[in-house]
Amino acid sequence: KLFDEYNYMHHAAQPFDFPFTTFFATNDRKIKEHMVKGWQNFTKSEFEINEINGHHLYVMGLDEQKPAKEQWYAVITRQLATLMNTEKFKQFSLN
């Protein structure tokens, strides 16, 4: 019931200044692509949306969901590799 009735009110907070990488699953019964696209309003940086062929729990990678988890990992790995080559990330390294 909470999921169906919750309505977030965004009151004058500034959008974040970092990129968002988002996901939605093609067979998810609750979370749809248009809902995930709403996160774009919370960043003034890049916004990426990724379609995963699976259901809501694809990240668990059980049985038929294993290809969906691998697809998710590939996107995350690519994003982390990109992030590690940025000046912002290098500022926080422990070298």
Side-chain angles (χ1 to χ4, degrees), residues 44-72:
K44 51 186 169 179
S45 188
E46 296 86 25
F47 179 83
E48 179 181 328
I49 187 165
N50 296 276
E51 177 181 287
I52 301 291
N53 297 315
H55 58 66
H56 188 76
L57 298 177
Y58 66 84
V59 295
M60 294 179 69
L62 303 175
D63 302 322
E64 76 279 355
Q65 291 292 106
K66 188 172 181 178
K69 183 177 184 177
E70 291 170 348
Q71 183 183 357
W72 178 70

Side-chain angles (χ1 to χ4, degrees), residues 4-58:
D4 294 326
E5 295 179 8
Y6 180 76
N7 187 16
Y8 173 72
M9 299 294 204
H10 183 71
H11 294 288
Q14 293 296 312
F16 295 105
D17 190 22
F18 52 81
F20 278 26
T21 301
T22 61
F23 301 86
F24 73 96
T26 55
N27 296 323
D28 194 322
R29 294 183 193 153
K30 289 276 190 181
I31 307 299
K32 303 298 179 192
E33 181 179 8
H34 74 275
M35 299 164 92
V36 176
K37 282 183 177 177
W39 284 98
Q40 189 170 8
N41 298 322
F42 296 94
T43 183
K44 51 186 169 179
S45 188
E46 296 86 25
F47 179 83
E48 179 181 328
I49 187 165
N50 296 276
E51 177 181 287
I52 301 291
N53 297 315
H55 58 66
H56 188 76
L57 298 177
Y58 66 84

